[in-house]
Amino acid sequence: MPQIFVDADACPVKDEVVKVAARHELVVTFVSNGGLRPSRDPMIRNVVVSKGADAADDWIVDNAAHNDIAITADVPLAARLVPLGVHVLGPTGRPFTPESIGMAVAMRDLKQHLRETGEIRGFNPGFSARDRSAFLSALDQTVRRAIKATEA
């Protein structure tokens, strides 16, 4: 069965991930630099990594396998996972796929450059109820697709 890995630092959809995973009886691993609340649920794992810049990302890349699912807003992490055959979703339900990851990286780099030069401000849009709903739907579809691929 596929597992779900969550880049848990500042992830706004942890509860939604747990809800969908419980419905499908999948293991969820929250990976963070700290601050995770322990769970009594045996299907929920918490991994606390060192405070290094990419320590959580490195742990997820080292432990996720083909057909697993990862939740992250971190485009460089998504770019490392997609070639491994991991299904990657952003917290708004946006999938990162082999077809879309190149453009996502290019847009991230462009926006970073524009912020650094002062052309734009570094504000991200707020997380809305619509985003949460879209994420729930996208995660459920992704889980079903991953389970079906495992059974094939």
Side-chain angles (χ1 to χ4, degrees):
M1 292 296 284
Q3 295 184 58
I4 301 175
F5 293 89
V6 180
D7 184 7
D9 289 324
C11 178
V13 291
K14 292 180 192 104
D15 292 339
E16 290 77 6
V17 171
V18 170
K19 179 180 175 181
V20 172
R23 187 177 324 132
H24 295 283
E25 300 179 351
L26 298 181
V27 172
V28 176
T29 303
F30 292 105
V31 184
S32 174
N33 291 336
L36 291 173
R37 192 172 358 158
S39 174
R40 294 178 189 236
D41 185 338
M43 300 295 276
I44 307 297
R45 297 175 35 205
N46 289 330
V47 173
V48 177
V49 296
S50 67
K51 299 276 187 208
D54 291 325
D57 297 1
D58 293 342
W59 193 95
I60 293 170
V61 170
D62 290 344
N63 289 276
H66 179 81
N67 207 42
D68 281 340
I69 300 162
I71 311 302
T72 186
D74 184 334
V75 174
L77 173 57
R80 293 173 64 191
L81 292 168
V82 167
L84 301 176
V86 176
H87 305 275
V88 184
L89 286 178
T92 60
R94 174 183 169 206
F96 294 101
T97 66
E99 296 78 25
S100 71
I101 195 64
M103 181 60 79
V105 170
M107 289 302 297
R108 178 205 174 267
D109 292 347
L110 174 62
K111 287 180 180 180
Q112 180 178 346
H113 173 73
L114 291 174
R115 280 190 300 273
E116 289 170 354
T117 60
E119 295 293 321
I120 62 171
R121 293 184 180 178
F123 300 114
N124 290 324
F127 191 75
S128 69
R130 178 179 289 154
D131 294 330
R132 195 171 305 281
S133 178
F135 174 78
L136 273 168
S137 177
L139 180 57
D140 194 65
Q141 290 174 1
T142 301
V143 166
R144 290 176 192 278
R145 190 169 40 254
I147 290 172
K148 187 174 182 179
T150 301
E151 294 171 348

